[in-house]
């Protein structure tokens, strides 16, 4: 790599990271070392033709999780799912197999995303309560297998959720006949008033004259069914939607109540089964058992109509045959793992291979397991909940605890985006659809209405904290005076009053999705209209100074700096989406829209910069004061908007800002790992991702149940940042340019396959710090690939 080009931007802060995969102490060098990053354009043909070959697809099997003892309770569960239905599966010391059923749209009367129910499967005599126990999560197959024995004879149970149908299977097979039962276990058995509620629950902080108790309604168990057993939860009321929309003067916005008469539940059948009672189903003694659990959400519905619907689904599904459905299930998971992969191996030292578990293995395992969790929960009706997803587990061991999540049911934008920031590079384009559907659909429409209603001008501003129907949390909006009676109709809480980066970020993510997929219909009907409305808001809302630049004041920089002028997140976001819109293929923008973007682009303030001790660096805002939180808004020019990155002339501004941030960490929603990767600081990025990959909840057995961190277990922001950071250490893109190994440490070998814009897939193998083999599809993108030597610590 001696004949390559030099990337602009020659100054770098050297970061001496931890050795042996991040176990040591990080040392920052205060001096900026001037050096150039040498790169190689792969199109130059400097690598021999034999090296430009596809790398064999890696297997996820290395990351299967195996336990040789049962678990005490749900804290010892494994996740499983099909994108909409999620299970927490564990085996008790008694040998019984249990699982909670979660669903992406199981919203109860109080807008709490709760469990559908809990199921217990028992075999007699029990093969899983003694010697020979083994439980394995098989990633490639999307299943959990439990092995045991009775009298030395093997018995196996297999649990899986069909990829294409709403049914859970518990299959057992053994060398001897066993009797089986499946039982519904309830905890919502009567009306219960919650003793406390969370910040985003409707009545949190409501004054005494307005507060109402938060009452959990009981589930319905169906009686005397001839073909199985069933339970459902039927929302007899709706707490929040009508109240919040009326109070915030949004009644006439285009919205609908997602809670009233929503009904969700499970219908359990067994091959040759019979009903023991309304909650227990028996399967007679046999060497083989097939128990099926059909899960459905329907709105509007009554319990009776829900039961009729789920029976129809069961009949239709069973008519297709289990062998055909099993083959489709396996094909889906094989296709998922074939989309992309990152498999890291710690390099040999003095010819001696490292002994597992190593730092590299922990990172690539964490990466694979988080992608698996995303696949288990990312294809439903609603976006992934950052604070627990559909895999929440109780902390006290009581069944009702699994319905709880810290911070409650609402969506914080800054948290909700993070599970999706690596979706495009992974090729997981299907998993991001629920996110775009909610934020780019109903919430977008409500945001446009709110903007006109509150400010009297067009455009769309996106509030930070919203319910799925578009209203702001009541705690944030304030209970004092309804919006119609306010002069200032914005929320009263200062945490997000002027935090409006959600709009630019959503536009950025939508435009990025188009760049990767080339989905022209999505661009025309979704990404461009939303982007223009976001820009229109800022254009019409803020005045300009004598130089014609926007003066964004009052404003704030995330939740951290409350008194700002021209905050970095909004300034960087607007500049980034304007550039991206103008770079779209010819004809993507109408002539009038292109003229508007060009004119607006000239109004956007420059990226704010400050000086400290004679050193210039990115700033949180042009002017900023009143620090309240621990985010780093100055670095939003680095990520997500990539206006400052390792190969750009302004890279030193980002590194100096990173050196001096007041708050750092490698956990939860903190994005320091990505900042470091984007700035080419491979040792610092490596240390962060190792720490992150090893920070699972100490109370949980599954190694990718991260948390609780700032939020709740499993913390999906934590895993989302891990995915994005590791991807960015390997591959970054800017326009058509594809940079390989911009922050990859020399002591990690890796096989990888990742996606890039313009329907591009890049595969490669790195050994001893060098890219040994690679391929890019389509071949026409070869000229756009640049291999960097990275920012090597000395």
């Amino acid at each position: 790599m001696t004949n390559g080009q030099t990337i602009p931007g020659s100054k770098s802060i050297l970061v001496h990271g931890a050795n042996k995969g991040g176990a040591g102490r990080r040392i920052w060098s205060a001096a900026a070392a001037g050096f150039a990053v040498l790169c190689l354009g792969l199109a130059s043909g400097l690598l021999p033709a034999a090296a430009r070959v596809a790398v064999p697809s890696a297997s996820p099997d290395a990351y299967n999780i195996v336990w040789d003892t049962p678990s005490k309770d749900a804290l010892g569960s494994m996740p499983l799912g099909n994108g909409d239905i999620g299970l927490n599966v564990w085996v008790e010391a008694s040998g019984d197999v249990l699982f909670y059923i979660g669903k992406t749209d199981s919203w109860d009367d109080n807008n709490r995303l709760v469990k559908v129910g809990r199921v217990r499967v028992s075999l007699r005599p029990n093969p899983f309560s003694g010697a020979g126990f083994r439980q394995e999560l098989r990633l490639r197959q999307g299943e959990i297998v439990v092995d045991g024995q009775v009298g030395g004879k093997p018995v196996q149970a297999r649990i899986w959720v069909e990829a294409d149908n709403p049914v859970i299977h518990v299959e057992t097979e053994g060398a001897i006949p066993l009797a089986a039962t499946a039982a519904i276990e309830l905890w919502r058995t009567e009306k219960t008033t919650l003793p406390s509620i969370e910040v985003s629950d409707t009545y949190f902080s409501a004054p005494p004259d307005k507060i109402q108790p938060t009452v959990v309604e009981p589930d319905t168990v169906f009686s005397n069914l001839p073909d199985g057993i069933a339970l459902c939860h039927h929302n007899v009321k709706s707490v929040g939607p009508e109240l919040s929309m009326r109070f915030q003067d949004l009644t006439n916005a285009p919205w609908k109540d997602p809670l009233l008469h929503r009904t969700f539940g499970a219908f359990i059948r067994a091959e040759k089964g019979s009903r023991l009672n309304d909650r227990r189903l028996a399967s007679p003694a046999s060497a083989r058992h097939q128990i099926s659990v059909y899960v459905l959400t329907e709105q509007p519905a009554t319990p009776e109509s829900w039961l009729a619907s789920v029976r129809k689904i069961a009949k239709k599904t069973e008519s297709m045959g289990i062998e055909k459905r099993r083959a489709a299930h396996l094909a889906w998971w094989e296709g998922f793992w074939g989309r992309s992969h990152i498999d890291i191996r710690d390099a040999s030292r003095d010819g001696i291979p490292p002994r597992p578990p190593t730092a590299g293995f922990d990172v690539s395992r964490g990466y694979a397991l988080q992608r698996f969790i995303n696949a288990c929960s990312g294809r439903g009706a609603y976006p992934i909940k950052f604070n627990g997803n559909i895999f929440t587990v109780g902390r006290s061991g009581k069944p009702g605890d699994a319905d709880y999540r810290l911070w409650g049911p609402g969506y914080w934008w800054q948290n909700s985006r993070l599970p999706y920031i690596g979706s495009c590079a992974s090729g997981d384009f299907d998993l991001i659809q629920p996110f775009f559907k909610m934020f780019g659909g109903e919430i977008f429409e409500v945001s446009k209405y709110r903007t006109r209603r509150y400010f009297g001008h067009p455009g769309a501003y996106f509030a930070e904290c919203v319910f799925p129907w578009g209203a702001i949390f009541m705690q944030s909006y304030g209970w004092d005076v309804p919006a119609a009676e306010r002069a200032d109709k914005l929320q009263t809480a200062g945490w997000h009053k002027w935090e409006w980066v959600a709009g630019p970020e959503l536009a950025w993510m939508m435009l990025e999705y188009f760049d990767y997929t080339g989905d022209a219909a999505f661009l025309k009907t979704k990404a461009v209209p939303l982007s223009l409305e976001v820009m229109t808001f800022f254009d019409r809302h803020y005045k300009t100074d004598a130089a014609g630049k926007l003066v964004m004041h009052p404003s704030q920089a995330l939740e951290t700096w409350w008194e700002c002028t021209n905050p970095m997140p909004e300034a960087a976001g607007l500049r980034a989406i304007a550039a991206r819109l103008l770079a779209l293929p010819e004809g993507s923008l109408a002539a009038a829209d292109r003229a508007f973007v060009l004119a607006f682009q000239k109004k956007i303030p420059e990226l704010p910069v400050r000086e400290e001790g004679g050193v210039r660096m990115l700033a949180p805002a042009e002017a900023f004061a009143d620090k309240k939180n621990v985010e780093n808004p100055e670095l939003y020019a680095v990520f997500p908007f990539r206006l400052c990155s390792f190969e750009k002339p302004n890279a030193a501004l980002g590194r100096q800002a990173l050196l001096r941030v007041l708050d750092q960490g490698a956990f939860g929603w903190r994005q320091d790992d990505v900042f470091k990767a984007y700035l080419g600081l491979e040792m610092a990025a490596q240390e962060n991702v190792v720490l992150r990959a090893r920070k699972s909840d100490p109370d949980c057995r599954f190694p990718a149940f991260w948390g609780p961190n700032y939020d709740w277990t499993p913390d999906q922001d934590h895993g989302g940042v891990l995915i994005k950071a590791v991807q960015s250490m390997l591959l970054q893109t800017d326009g058509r340019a594809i940079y390989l190994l911009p922050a990859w440490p020399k002591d990690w070998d890796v096989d990888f396959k990742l996606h890039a814009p313009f329907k591009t897939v890049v595969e490669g193998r790195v050994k001893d710090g060098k890219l040994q083999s690679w391929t890019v599809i389509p071949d026409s993108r070869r000229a756009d690939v640049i291999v960097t030597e990275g920012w090597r610590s000395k």
Side-chain angles (χ1 to χ4, degrees):
M1 299 186 184
T2 57
N3 297 322
Q5 66 191 81
T6 301
I7 292 181
S10 60
K11 292 186 179 293
S12 170
I13 290 183
L14 294 179
V15 179
H16 297 271
N19 55 19
K20 297 185 178 178
R25 176 175 172 264
R26 180 179 57 202
I27 304 171
W28 290 89
S29 169
F35 63 95
V37 176
L38 296 180
C39 311
L40 175 65
L42 294 184
S44 65
L46 293 178
L47 282 177
R52 299 196 295 270
V53 296
V55 176
S57 176
S59 168
D61 300 343
Y63 310 120
N64 289 353
I65 302 301
V66 178
W67 296 336
D68 58 9
T69 58
S71 296
K72 179 182 177 182
D73 52 33
L75 291 170
S77 63
M78 292 178 174
L80 195 65
N82 71 349
D84 180 37
I85 300 164
L87 307 184
N88 293 82
V89 181
W90 73 102
V91 181
E92 285 186 344
S94 68
D96 287 355
V97 177
L98 292 94
F99 52 89
Y100 280 119
I101 305 171
K103 202 166 185 298
T104 63
D105 56 0
S106 54
W107 300 99
D108 75 357
D109 317 57
N110 301 298
N111 189 43
R112 299 165 71 232
L113 189 63
V114 299
K115 298 295 188 187
V116 173
R118 188 167 91 169
V119 175
R120 178 184 295 267
V121 176
S122 305
L123 299 176
R124 295 294 182 268
N126 202 312
F128 305 134
S129 58
F133 177 87
R134 187 177 189 273
Q135 179 179 340
E136 181 178 11
L137 172 63
R138 296 179 176 176
L139 299 175
R140 180 185 293 277
Q141 294 82 11
E143 66 185 20
I144 291 172
V145 172
V146 183
D147 288 295
Q149 59 187 32
V150 174
K153 297 182 178 181
V155 178
Q156 185 177 87
R158 181 170 66 191
I159 304 99
W160 54 291
V161 189
E162 281 194 34
D164 298 327
N165 294 290
V167 56
I168 304 158
H169 294 287
V170 182
E171 303 166 340
T172 71
E173 189 167 354
I176 60 171
L178 302 173
T181 60
I184 295 169
E185 298 195 336
L186 298 178
W187 58 93
R188 297 183 296 254
T189 57
E190 59 185 3
K191 285 191 175 186
T192 304
T193 300
L194 294 179
S196 63
I197 56 177
E198 292 298 308
V199 168
S200 62
D201 282 310
T202 297
Y203 285 102
F204 188 90
S205 76
D209 62 324
K210 293 185 175 69
I211 195 168
Q212 297 289 329
T214 300
V215 178
V216 177
E217 302 290 338
D219 293 336
T220 297
V221 176
F222 292 87
S223 299
N224 301 314
L225 299 184
D227 52 347
I229 57 176
L231 84 158
C232 75
H233 187 91
H234 173 62
N235 289 353
V236 297
K237 63 183 188 296
S238 173
V239 177
E242 192 280 331
L243 165 66
S244 60
M245 296 299 276
R246 174 171 42 82
F247 196 90
Q248 296 175 31
D249 198 17
L250 301 173
T251 302
N252 293 326
W255 74 285
K256 61 181 180 180
D257 187 333
L259 304 183
L260 188 61
H261 299 152
R262 178 176 291 267
T263 306
F264 52 87
F267 175 45
I268 307 178
R269 291 166 54 78
E271 193 175 76
K272 300 178 182 179
S274 60
R275 173 183 161 278
L276 294 177
N277 56 46
D278 291 341
R279 301 187 190 181
R280 294 187 72 211
L281 191 66
S283 182
S286 173
R288 179 185 176 278
H289 295 279
Q290 176 77 43
I291 297 168
S292 302
V293 184
Y294 293 88
V295 184
L296 174 67
T297 298
E298 195 169 52
Q299 188 205 23
T302 63
E304 293 74 23
S305 67
W306 174 89
L307 180 61
S309 295
V310 77
R311 277 173 160 161
K312 288 180 182 177
I313 289 172
K315 182 178 180 180
K316 179 181 178 181
T317 303
E318 290 168 4
S319 71
M320 291 185 280
I322 186 65
E323 294 83 6
K324 181 179 179 180
R325 290 182 283 130
R326 174 71 179 170
H329 171 84
L330 293 174
W332 190 92
W333 279 104
E334 191 70 26
F336 172 77
W337 292 114
R339 296 173 184 175
S340 63
H341 62 263
I342 295 176
D343 295 283
I344 305 169
R345 300 173 305 281
D346 288 69
S348 301
R349 297 180 185 276
D350 300 323
I352 302 173
R355 298 179 63 183
T358 63
F361 175 85
D362 287 346
V363 171
S364 51
R365 182 183 69 173
Y367 181 95
L369 293 179
Q370 184 60 52
R371 271 198 75 216
F372 175 75
I373 289 173
N374 292 350
C376 288
S377 57
R379 295 193 295 155
Y382 287 85
I384 291 169
K385 283 291 284 131
F386 68 94
N387 52 340
N389 204 325
I390 52 176
F391 301 109
T392 50
V393 293
R395 311 302 290 192
S396 70
K398 297 179 181 179
D401 272 4
D403 286 341
Y404 173 81
R405 64 185 73 235
L406 188 65
W407 300 103
Y411 287 88
W412 278 255
W413 167 262
Q414 287 297 308
N415 300 88
S416 298
R417 69 197 169 105
L418 293 177
Y420 297 99
I421 55 177
S423 297
C424 288
S426 295
D428 296 332
F429 305 116
D430 53 342
L431 304 188
I432 202 171
Q433 298 308 315
F435 177 79
F436 287 151
K437 180 176 178 288
M438 188 180 88
F439 283 102
E442 189 165 328
I443 289 178
F444 174 42
E445 295 301 322
V446 172
S447 297
K448 287 192 292 183
Y449 180 90
R450 180 191 286 116
T451 300
R452 286 188 176 273
R453 191 71 174 168
Y454 286 11
F455 303 122
H457 63 69
Y461 85 91
F462 285 77
E464 168 68 17
C465 298
V466 293
F467 294 120
W469 55 90
I472 296 169
F473 303 166
M474 288 301 297
Q475 185 273 344
S476 296
Y477 192 75
W479 286 91
D480 51 352
V481 179
E485 302 172 20
R486 297 185 187 185
D488 176 2
K489 296 181 183 295
L490 289 175
Q491 65 187 64
T492 58
W495 289 101
H496 319 104
K497 187 176 179 71
W498 297 297
E499 183 185 359
W500 293 334
V501 70
E505 280 199 83
L506 178 56
W508 174 259
M509 293 176 74
M510 286 182 151
L511 293 169
E512 179 178 66
Y513 174 84
F514 167 74
D515 283 349
Y516 274 78
T517 64
D519 187 337
F522 178 86
L523 179 70
K524 180 179 180 180
T525 63
K526 299 293 184 182
V528 166
L530 184 141
S531 299
L532 292 174
E533 292 286 353
V534 168
M535 298 178 81
T536 297
F537 167 75
F538 285 93
D539 184 55
R540 297 294 297 273
H541 191 73
Y542 288 115
K543 297 179 180 179
T544 56
D545 61 16
K549 297 290 187 180
L550 291 179
V551 180
M552 291 188 282
H553 182 88
S555 62
Q556 64 188 93
L558 307 179
E559 294 182 12
T560 298
W561 297 99
W562 283 21
E563 296 180 14
C564 291
T565 299
N566 294 338
M568 174 65 84
E570 283 79 357
L574 292 171
R575 297 180 73 84
I577 63 173
R580 209 154 197 166
L581 284 168
L582 294 172
L584 290 173
E586 185 176 356
S588 299
L589 289 179
D593 292 334
R594 185 173 182 82
F596 163 71
V597 176
L598 283 167
F600 179 73
Q601 187 181 45
K602 296 175 182 177
K603 297 181 181 181
I604 304 171
E606 299 296 326
L607 300 182
V609 174
R610 69 186 182 95
E611 188 171 310
E612 180 181 317
V615 178
R616 298 177 74 245
M617 67 201 72
L618 300 176
E622 185 178 310
F624 55 97
D626 198 11
K627 186 176 186 292
K628 298 288 189 181
N629 211 338
V630 292
E631 301 149 312
N632 295 316
E634 57 267 53
L635 291 169
Y636 272 50
V638 177
F639 174 79
F641 298 119
R642 211 175 183 281
L643 299 179
C644 174
S645 51
F646 77 97
E647 83 288 3
K648 292 185 173 66
N650 65 353
L653 296 177
R655 295 188 203 107
Q656 292 293 347
L658 180 62
L659 180 65
R660 292 166 175 80
V661 293
L662 300 176
D663 306 285
Q664 288 197 55
F667 59 93
W669 48 254
R670 303 209 64 86
Q671 295 138 70
D672 304 40
D673 319 34
V674 187
F675 299 150
K676 292 170 181 178
Y678 270 33
L679 292 170
L681 303 171
E682 88 279 359
M683 296 296 285
Q686 180 187 43
E687 180 182 10
N688 269 49
V689 296
V690 171
L691 290 171
R692 186 174 292 271
R694 290 174 169 172
K695 196 179 187 309
S696 60
D697 188 325
D699 292 333
C700 290
R701 197 172 182 183
F702 188 69
F705 275 177
W706 326 106
N709 299 322
Y710 296 107
D711 300 311
W712 200 236
T713 302
D715 178 358
Q716 300 307 284
D717 289 353
H718 185 101
V721 172
L722 176 66
I723 285 178
K724 181 63 176 178
V726 178
Q727 291 172 344
S728 303
M729 293 166 70
L730 272 169
L731 183 150
Q732 296 177 36
T733 64
D734 195 296
R736 295 195 64 87
I738 301 172
Y739 297 101
L740 292 183
L741 315 185
W744 196 253
K746 284 185 176 179
D747 59 349
W748 275 357
D749 297 342
V750 65
D751 292 337
F752 68 91
K753 177 182 180 181
L754 290 171
H755 293 245
F758 308 105
K759 300 181 181 180
T760 303
V761 179
V762 182
E763 293 187 69
R765 171 169 292 166
V766 176
K767 185 172 177 58
D768 299 326
K770 304 293 184 182
L771 186 66
Q772 289 199 330
S773 59
W774 61 274
T775 185
V776 58
I777 300 173
D779 191 66
S780 60
R781 290 279 275 144
R782 185 179 301 277
D784 301 322
V785 179
I786 300 168
V787 180
T788 76
E789 290 187 346
W791 306 95
R792 303 304 186 191
S793 300
K794 304 297 182 183

